[in-house]
Amino acid sequence: MLLFERRIAVVQIFVLLLGGYHVVVCALLSMQTPTLRIGTRPSPLAKVQARSVAEALRKKISADELQIQIVEIKTKDDQMSRSTASTQSTPLAVKSIDFTGALDQALLNNEIDAAVHSLKDIPPTARWCDGLDIVCCLPTEDPMDVLVSVNGYSSLRDLPPNGTRVGTSSVRRQAQILSLRGDLELVNLRGNVEARLNALRDGKVGALILASAGLNRLIHSNHANVHDFNDLKWHNIPSEEMLSGACQGIIGISTRASDTTTSDWLSKIHDADASITAAAERAFLDVLDSFRPS
């Protein structure tokens, strides 16, 4: 009987110890620093933009409060937009190229907590994913398009007549170019920014149209392959020649609509003025999109 009682006592002690261990483990787990997973496409520009979001957060939130992890999400279209530029017969919009869908799906699958975009790339509301919100905008940068060339052309009107090849796969840019200069030849040039600049250097096109904000972000980053611009010149295209895209120049961050924790973190770097601009321009874009043939 005494032996049995001793065994019971040992079991009770073991249960108490196990319970105490469980409490300690739970307490330690609850004390772990939360991690914010920021999703980005793997292109050099996209990664520069994701790092700018991480750096802005780090200035507001210490590492003891929040860990930040950048997660690269590759889409099938990123695999096509490799480091060597390519041409195609139709513009990106006509081919339904989607550079945000994989990030959107990663959010919905809880693989990431936030996705960083050039806000101009997010589709109009009617064609975007349900369950996601744009909860944060960084301050607006230069919204203009730039004309990049070796010869230093300052506007579309300065380009040589009759067949100068201009590289852009944007329907918006192509329509405005042809309205002003129907004699130019448009080339649906694809690839990351560096690849397109190399295509210009190699003479595949005589000029290139890029977003000023994206080009400036790359130039001022630590990305080694874009620092040598001595052989290229660029000028903002005057607004009377080309209107910029809706939300161009704004970095936007999307999250799951239900994720208030992530929204609270991102609110610390949210720029209200950029958000107002984005809301107005996206509302205008939604109205235009409503006339799109189904």
Side-chain angles (χ1 to χ4, degrees), residues 196-214:
R196 284 178 278 165
L197 290 174
N198 286 332
L200 174 63
R201 290 184 174 104
D202 294 340
K204 295 179 180 177
V205 292
L208 194 63
I209 311 294
L210 296 173
S212 175

Side-chain angles (χ1 to χ4, degrees), residues 34-80:
T35 298
L36 178 65
R37 299 166 299 170
I38 298 175
T40 177
R41 288 170 49 206
S43 74
L45 176 57
K47 290 190 287 187
V48 165
Q49 294 177 165
R51 286 195 293 268
S52 71
V53 171
E55 290 165 3
L57 283 168
R58 186 54 66 226
K59 292 177 181 178
K60 299 289 186 179
I61 308 167
S62 72
D64 292 335
E65 296 177 87
L66 181 69
Q67 293 294 313
I68 299 172
Q69 177 186 5
I70 294 180
V71 181
E72 293 183 20
I73 305 292
K74 182 173 287 189
T75 73
K76 64 179 181 179
D77 297 315
D78 281 310
Q79 295 169 5
M80 296 168 62

